[in-house]
Amino acid sequence: MAQNPVEWAVSAAPVDYETAVAAMEARVEAIHRGEAGELVWLLEHPALYTAGTSADASDLREPERFPVHRTGRGGEFTYHGPGQRVAYVMLDLRTRGRDARKLVNNLESWIIGALDRFNVKGERRCDRVGVWVDRTEHGGQTREDKIAAIGIRLRRWISFHGIALNVEPDLSHFAGIVPCGITDPRYGVTSLAGLGLPVTMEDADYALKSAFTDVFGAVSEIEPPV
């Protein structure tokens, strides 16, 4: 069965985290009832930390630094803030195959495709969810940095939460947590700016939209939910 175009919305101003979650949950219910279509919503948040269902309290190193939000998505602690493109993904897996693993794989493919538009080689790691960039210098010790995080929740086979691509955030803000619970010093966090690429948020949005259609199908632009 052919899919209808996925609605695609971009918020120009930062969106409060709790406001975004409430809007997502309302949309998920509407999709389940057949009253709304699938949606990808791109936005930025004010600086904050979120704790997924597997978060370890000891991984919150600086609890007073930014607001901390407990969330029902999978994963551990992560950071959201200005310069990071968050994409909330509300897809109906009842029509796309009830396969959560495939969804995560497709989200990784989406990010990898978007990075490829900037000649950045994003890579999967079987033991670490997200998309990584190999920073190992020739003959040096292994160094890999995460450039995009993935955290998804399913409710009655409708997805919500999504991905976070580091475009030009303040990377020092990640120091307040153990990102995704990874303590190995060989693994860090980077961004497109950190790789020396002068990518604007508009550039990133264009790449994300183009790569999304390659993986998930056509999109149709709408106004954001809030």
Side-chain angles (χ1 to χ4, degrees):
M1 183 174 65
Q3 296 283 342
N4 291 325
V6 177
E7 294 184 344
W8 186 273
V10 181
S11 289
V15 180
D16 173 77
Y17 185 76
E18 297 294 348
T19 300
V21 171
M24 274 196 292
E25 291 185 341
R27 182 66 175 231
V28 166
E29 290 301 316
I31 294 171
H32 183 263
R33 294 192 301 265
E35 298 171 359
E38 299 175 306
L39 171 66
V40 174
W41 181 18
L42 275 58
L43 52 81
E44 291 175 89
H45 285 306
L48 57 92
Y49 297 129
T50 65
T53 54
S54 302
D56 186 328
S58 65
D59 287 342
L60 182 59
R61 291 171 167 165
E62 299 178 26
E64 305 302 323
R65 188 169 189 175
F66 298 123
V68 179
H69 297 269
R70 301 286 165 179
T71 177
R73 63 158 174 80
E76 303 184 56
F77 278 102
T78 193
Y79 165 77
H80 294 315
Q84 182 189 70
R85 179 51 90 205
V86 174
Y88 288 134
V89 180
M90 289 149 272
L91 298 179
D92 189 346
L93 270 62
R94 296 173 300 178
T95 62
R96 292 180 177 271
R98 300 176 186 239
D99 189 333
R101 187 182 298 275
K102 180 181 177 182
L103 173 62
V104 172
N105 184 74
N106 284 342
L107 293 173
E108 291 173 338
S109 294
W110 172 28
I111 298 165
I112 289 168
L115 292 172
D116 186 62
R117 268 78 174 166
F118 303 111
N119 294 315
V120 173
K121 185 181 180 182
E123 299 179 345
R124 294 180 175 89
R125 292 293 179 263
C126 62
D127 57 339
R128 289 175 266 133
V129 174
V131 174
W132 297 77
V133 177
D134 188 348
R135 308 292 300 278
T136 305
E137 297 182 2
H138 182 70
Q141 184 181 19
T142 298
R143 172 72 187 189
E144 296 178 355
D145 288 344
K146 178 178 275 193
I147 195 166
I150 297 174
I152 286 289
R153 183 175 182 182
L154 296 179
R155 180 176 294 165
R156 293 180 290 191
W157 291 107
I158 315 296
S159 70
F160 60 123
H161 296 281
I163 71 166
L165 172 65
N166 295 331
V167 180
E168 194 176 4
D170 185 337
L171 295 178
S172 71
H173 291 174
F174 285 90
I177 57 172
V178 177
C180 302
I182 297 172
T183 58
D184 192 317
R186 295 175 299 172
Y187 308 136
V189 179
T190 194
S191 64
L192 289 167
L195 297 175
L197 298 171
V199 176
T200 67
M201 196 62 75
E202 291 74 19
D203 294 333
D205 289 351
Y206 182 84
L208 285 167
K209 183 196 278 187
S210 174
F212 183 90
T213 62
D214 290 345
V215 178
F216 292 101
V219 300
S220 174
E221 295 185 17
I222 66 163
E223 292 298 311
V226 296

